[in-house]
Amino acid sequence: MILLTLFFEFFKTGLFAVGGGMATLPFLYDMSARHPDWFSTAQLADMIAVSESTPGPIGVNMATYVGFHTAGILGGLVATLGLAAPSVIIILIIARVLKQFRENTYVDAAFYGLRPCSVGLIAAAGLLVVKIALFDFDAYALSGEIADLFKLKALILAAVLLVLTRAVKATKKLHPIVFILGSAVVGVLFSF
């Protein structure tokens, strides 16, 4: 039953996460709330880090990670197939009929309407990552202390990375993998 549930949950995610892998994050956040025995929001932050720093699309990496964590190797395969199946089905259908309908104003309008949807889902995913990585709302709720709301080390690292990737001319053009590896080293050295 768990395999069927994994497939269905990731099929829904794959069907509606328009905009790529980052657009799957709001769905995964919702999934963690509905299936807390699968993974927590803290584990979601770890999954994002692992998925971003390993080869392959983030959505597929996350599906594989959740499936494996939940039901082993077979769970990883089932979750990954569930996520990819809608895309394959839709692409096969679109490829078959797109030539006939590409000049159709309704089809053009639908594609135009999907663009802001993608932006919104990706922006929601970005805000979710910021919330998980930089803030600790649970600790704040328990203590009521404003200092407990912020993950200070993570905020400092994020600020340094923002400056290095946007303001410092010498590091601006470095490949993102340099920053990913550097962040991993900093995380180990400073016990994140």
Side-chain angles (χ1 to χ4, degrees):
M1 188 63 174
I2 187 76
L3 295 176
L4 187 60
T5 306
L6 270 170
F7 182 85
F8 180 68
E9 287 292 337
F10 280 98
F11 187 88
K12 289 188 306 186
T13 301
L15 187 59
F16 296 109
V18 178
M22 292 302 281
T24 63
L25 292 180
F27 293 93
L28 290 169
Y29 188 74
D30 177 63
M31 200 181 298
S32 74
R34 288 184 292 106
H35 301 284
D37 52 319
W38 287 8
F39 60 95
S40 66
T41 53
Q43 289 171 314
L44 182 59
D46 294 339
M47 289 188 305
I48 293 167
V50 169
S51 296
E52 280 286 351
S53 49
T54 54
I58 186 172
V60 172
N61 290 350
M62 300 270 289
T64 306
Y65 189 103
V66 171
F68 180 79
H69 182 71
T70 304
I73 292 173
L74 190 56
L77 289 170
V78 166
T80 303
L81 286 173
L83 184 76
S87 298
V88 171
I89 293 167
I90 291 169
I91 288 299
L92 290 173
I93 293 169
I94 288 175
R96 182 109 176 132
V97 298
L98 186 60
K99 285 183 181 178
Q100 299 167 350
F101 295 104
R102 186 59 188 132
E103 300 301 320
N104 185 307
T105 57
Y106 296 114
V107 172
D108 275 347
F111 281 123
Y112 187 80
L114 285 173
R115 291 178 192 151
C117 175
S118 297
V119 170
L121 286 171
I122 292 169
L127 291 173
L128 179 61
V129 170
V130 167
K131 177 184 172 189
I132 292 170
L134 303 180
F135 300 98
D136 192 345
F137 289 100
D138 294 333
Y140 175 70
L142 289 174
S143 70
E145 295 291 325
I146 195 74
D148 289 336
L149 177 61
F150 302 101
K151 295 179 181 176
L152 190 58
K153 292 177 189 176
L155 279 168
I156 292 169
L157 180 58
V160 168
L161 288 171
L162 186 65
V163 169
L164 290 175
T165 59
R166 297 290 171 229
V168 178
K169 195 172 190 173
T171 57
K172 233 172 143 172
K173 295 182 182 179
L174 289 175
H175 196 278
I177 194 70
V178 172
F179 297 106
I180 291 170
L181 292 173
S183 297
V185 169
V186 168
V188 170
L189 290 176
F190 293 100
S191 303
F192 271 66

